[in-house]
Amino acid sequence: MSSGWRTCSYLLAIAAGFAPFAATADEPVIDVEHYRARVEPDLATRTVRGVVSIAFAGDAKEAVFDAGELEIDSVELKGSPVPFVREGSKLRIALPERLTRRSTLQVRYHGAPRFGLEFHPDRNEIYTIFSASQWLVSVDAPSERATLDLELVLPAALVVAATGRPTSRKPAGDGRIAHRWRLTTPAPSFTYGFAAGRYTEARNATAGTRLRFLSTDLRTDELRQVFANTGDMIRFFEHRAGTEFEGDYTQVLVTRTIGQEAAGLALLSEQYGKTVLADPTAEGLIAHEIAHQWWGVSVTCKDWGHFWLNEGFATFMTAVYLGHRHGASEYVEQVEKWKARWEKLKAAGTDHPLVYSAWSNPSADDRAVVYQKGAYVLHLLRLEMGEDAFWRGIRGYTRANAGRSVDTNDFKAAMTATAGRDLTDFFARWIDGPLDTGPLKPL
Ligand SMILES: [Zn+2]
């Protein structure tokens, strides 16, 4: 098992200091419904320029978006310029009137992102690493779900993968191609992404899901070997989730990244691909990212305080898959590791509830709470409820909340419904106990 397979995390992006956060209480509430963007990255200059039309509804005099470090060139409403200010990473747009119906703002921007977009001119490769607002003016909060039409203008020699499904490909001048992709299921912007490079490509299909595997370094036969169990993983998680996977699924091996989930897309590192090639049992991170298609992309934590609903779930589900694929002892081994990590947290005095509000600068121990303790607590809940009620609860939770951003109370309600009894004590002890009150009592 690769030591790095659990490192997939938006949390790492947060830890690096470029976290998106939900609007604070005094910020106006708008609801973005759709982004239509044209994004033109330039590999040689490591810059990006773009224009995005943001369709939104809301009763507000002001619209606030995340814009990373992008320079804003103009903002228009119905073809007329509207005033705006930059405030840190926020773009605040003063609306000329209180808009109560669906409106569309058009924002033009450019910039040289220091993160969020990785440029590798030496390898002819460019790809995203979370933080969509570094290349697309948008709302970062995971509660804000929208559909996306993304046009990427890139050199003709590059192979492209992006969020959603490809819809067209047209010449865009200067030897470039405009690739259009459409995401029709509303998703939070941290699950928007793309990768482009001089990739070798292998394709496969499983029960109606089209699979693509891309890499600069590996051959097609090697790609097929690395991702051999992708179809099995998708079908397995469908069964556990109680909902079918919709759309295509593309996995790209990129120069350097943490594992990252996007809608219908996963970006993993070339090094990780080579590790799996040498040792197929290191496929845990592939499974982790696939699990995120249900727990993370489809059902998303409403704010980062409930991030364990994304990462504790993906970690737990990976172990369940590994147990199915490689034998029950593999699952038991993972549980023992989670428990040992939690024991270490307790010994260090850094244990705390899974629902944890202080994400401004999470430590490695905070991440361990969300990932390993989160997975361990799901295992304990499985023991507490028994197989039948637990999995009926998981299916009920996942089905009822597909396409929604949720918090721990949604999960609690679904599990309580199939447990047939009150789970308040379990949740208070293990999951949503008083915030930031220090160590929990051991079992
Ligand atoms: Zn993850």
Side-chain angles (χ1 to χ4, degrees):
M1 184 61 61
S2 155
S3 61
W5 72 267
R6 280 200 213 94
T7 58
C8 147
S9 174
Y10 190 50
L11 203 50
L12 295 182
I14 294 172
F18 40 93
F21 287 96
T24 51
D26 61 336
E27 284 180 351
V29 178
I30 60 157
D31 176 23
V32 176
E33 294 172 354
H34 184 70
Y35 300 99
R36 194 178 78 241
R38 177 183 169 94
V39 176
E40 301 180 52
D42 189 287
L43 257 176
T45 58
R46 296 171 189 262
T47 59
V48 63
R49 72 174 48 251
V51 54
V52 58
S53 295
I54 307 171
F56 66 98
D59 183 3
K61 283 184 172 172
E62 189 186 36
V64 181
F65 299 100
D66 296 289
E69 296 179 342
L70 295 166
E71 301 272 339
I72 305 301
D73 300 318
S74 67
V75 180
E76 290 182 5
L77 179 71
K78 296 176 194 160
S80 301
V82 287
F84 63 89
V85 291
R86 286 305 306 268
E87 206 175 272
S89 61
K90 300 284 183 188
L91 167 64
R92 307 187 84 99
I93 300 169
L95 302 173
E97 61 196 90
R98 197 166 197 105
L99 301 172
T100 53
R101 289 196 211 148
R102 192 179 203 253
S103 309
T104 302
L105 283 163
Q106 189 182 68
V107 183
R108 290 181 185 277
Y109 57 88
H110 69 275
R114 291 181 300 152
F115 53 84
L117 206 49
E118 282 275 315
F119 298 92
H120 292 280
D122 53 321
R123 287 168 61 90
N124 281 300
E125 188 179 33
I126 178 172
Y127 53 90
T128 55
I129 300 189
F130 296 118
S131 297
S133 58
Q134 296 294 334
W135 53 272
L136 173 75
V137 173
S138 52
V139 176
D140 278 338
S143 56
E144 185 56 79
R145 312 180 75 95
T147 49
L148 171 70
D149 273 306
L150 179 61
E151 180 175 300
L152 293 163
V153 183
L154 290 157
L158 302 191
V159 176
V160 179
T163 303
R165 274 189 159 147
T167 57
S168 72
R169 201 173 169 277
K170 289 179 185 160
D174 302 332
R176 298 182 305 165
I177 299 284
H179 302 258
R180 287 191 177 168
W181 291 71
R182 175 168 291 166
L183 176 69
T184 53
T185 305
S189 70
F190 80 90
T191 68
Y192 299 169
F194 66 86
R198 298 191 81 135
Y199 296 131
T200 295
E201 175 169 358
R203 286 175 186 258
N204 210 336
T206 173
T209 306
R210 288 182 294 188
L211 307 176
R212 291 175 82 201
F213 318 130
L214 306 173
S215 163
T216 305
D217 294 350
L218 300 190
R219 302 186 308 262
T220 52
D221 61 314
E222 292 173 324
L223 278 167
R224 287 185 198 285
Q225 201 176 322
V226 169
F227 295 112
N229 290 331
T230 298
D232 185 53
M233 291 170 182
I234 290 175
R235 300 286 85 89
F236 180 80
F237 292 128
E238 279 183 337
H239 180 64
R240 293 295 174 179
T243 58
E244 283 186 11
F245 180 75
E246 288 175 11
D248 304 342
Y249 190 66
T250 300
Q251 293 168 106
V252 191
L253 298 177
V254 300
T255 301
R256 176 177 67 222
T257 193
I258 53 177
Q260 46 176 320
E261 71 278 17
L265 175 70
L267 276 62
L268 307 158
S269 72
E270 293 275 14
Q271 185 52 53
Y272 173 70
K274 288 167 193 167
T275 300
V276 178
L277 196 58
D279 173 11
T281 66
E283 65 185 352
L285 185 58
I286 295 172
H288 180 111
E289 304 309 346
I290 293 174
H292 272 315
Q293 295 301 315
W294 288 268
W295 304 285
V297 175
S298 175
V299 183
T300 311
C301 63
K302 194 178 278 177
D303 68 61
W304 303 117
H306 297 268
F307 194 45
W308 83 278
L309 293 173
N310 294 16
E311 297 302 344
F313 267 71
T315 305
F316 170 76
M317 291 297 174
T318 298
V320 177
Y321 175 76
L322 294 175
H324 149 82
R325 185 82 208 170
H326 302 291
S329 62
E330 188 68 29
Y331 175 78
V332 173
E333 193 182 310
Q334 297 303 316
V335 172
E336 289 303 320
K337 283 183 187 168
W338 302 334
K339 189 179 180 199
R341 188 68 181 92
W342 174 59
E343 298 284 356
K344 221 171 131 187
L345 293 170
K346 283 193 295 175
T350 51
D351 185 27
H352 56 69
L354 300 181
V355 180
Y356 176 59
S357 61
W359 285 122
S360 56
N361 187 23
S363 65
D365 282 357
D366 292 333
R367 291 196 292 277
V369 167
V370 163
Y371 282 73
Q372 282 84 49
K373 185 184 166 188
Y376 183 56
V377 169
L378 284 170
H379 166 72
L380 294 180
L381 185 59
R382 182 182 188 180
L383 296 182
E384 173 91 10
M385 293 175 65
E387 281 295 282
D388 180 59
F390 176 80
W391 288 109
R392 277 193 293 118
I394 292 287
R395 289 193 296 273
Y397 164 71
T398 311
R399 272 199 297 254
N401 295 300
R404 291 185 63 220
S405 294
V406 299
D407 65 23
T408 300
N409 279 329
D410 295 295
F411 176 59
K412 188 176 173 179
M415 300 313 277
T416 301
T418 60
R421 61 191 165 88
D422 191 21
L423 292 172
T424 301
D425 287 350
F426 183 95
F427 272 73
R429 183 179 194 177
W430 291 106
I431 298 177
D432 58 8
L435 289 180
D436 313 339
T437 53
L440 293 173
K441 287 181 206 153
L443 263 179

